[in-house]
Amino acid sequence: MSAYRYRSVDWQPGARLIKPLCESRLALVTTAALYAPDQEPFDEKFRGGDFSYRVLDSEVDLASLRMGHRSLSFDHSGVEQDPNLALPLDRFRELERDGIIGSLNQRHYSFMGSITAPGRLLAQTAPMSAQALQRDDVDAAFLTPV
């Protein structure tokens, strides 16, 4: 890790939740590179990391998802046994059912982790997914970094 050139980012405080969680719409965002069987896999050979994302439907069967995470230092076995570790849809469905959160968005977002050249992610795909979340009236996103 000492040889890794970390990117310096001028961090800006994010948005604040302005209504109670029990009235809020939530979306999930993961960096586990999960994708549905009918979707194009993440390109593990893309130099610097695949900066694209996949939209996952809220009703997706978690067991059907595949993982395209490229990092060799990441142990996939836990997520393969329980995909909720990377995309906790079942847990958030329970929170919605119990009234803890207002609602779960219909769409969730999956990115590839271990992107060593994040320029295009920061300039293109992250803003695109953020705009899509805004169009869906999402109040908060829950990030599961992998």
Side-chain angles (χ1 to χ4, degrees):
M1 294 302 289
S2 62
Y4 184 78
R5 291 180 28 200
Y6 289 93
R7 184 176 290 250
S8 177
V9 177
D10 182 23
W11 179 255
Q12 300 294 319
R16 298 194 191 286
L17 191 58
I18 58 174
K19 58 184 172 181
L21 199 53
C22 64
E23 296 174 12
S24 298
R25 178 185 304 257
L26 275 77
L28 305 179
V29 178
T30 183
T31 61
L34 298 175
Y35 61 97
D38 62 340
Q39 293 176 321
E40 190 74 25
F42 285 87
D43 187 349
E44 295 182 35
K45 294 180 179 87
F46 198 96
R47 186 170 168 85
D50 187 341
F51 60 94
S52 66
Y53 61 86
R54 304 295 178 271
V55 178
L56 302 172
D57 188 87
S58 192
E59 299 303 318
V60 68
D61 175 14
L62 288 173
S64 74
L65 295 177
R66 299 191 172 115
M67 188 183 323
H69 201 292
R70 74 184 196 137
S71 175
L72 298 175
S73 63
F74 170 63
D75 180 0
H76 298 202
S77 62
V79 175
E80 290 167 357
Q81 291 175 19
D82 183 3
N84 280 286
L85 293 173
L87 189 72
L89 270 174
D90 290 337
R91 303 297 75 83
F92 274 78
R93 289 171 183 148
E94 293 166 1
L95 293 172
E96 181 182 31
R97 183 195 66 225
D98 294 344
I100 306 295
I101 64 171
S103 64
L104 197 52
N105 195 43
Q106 187 61 32
R107 285 173 282 282
H108 307 283
Y109 294 85
S110 178
F111 292 86
M112 177 182 274
S114 188
I115 296 177
T116 58
R120 288 180 276 199
L121 171 74
L122 295 170
Q124 297 173 23
T125 50
M128 286 171 44
S129 60
Q131 290 167 356
L133 292 169
Q134 286 178 324
R135 283 192 302 275
D136 283 349
D137 293 322
V138 169
D139 298 299
F142 186 85
L143 173 64
T144 54
V146 174

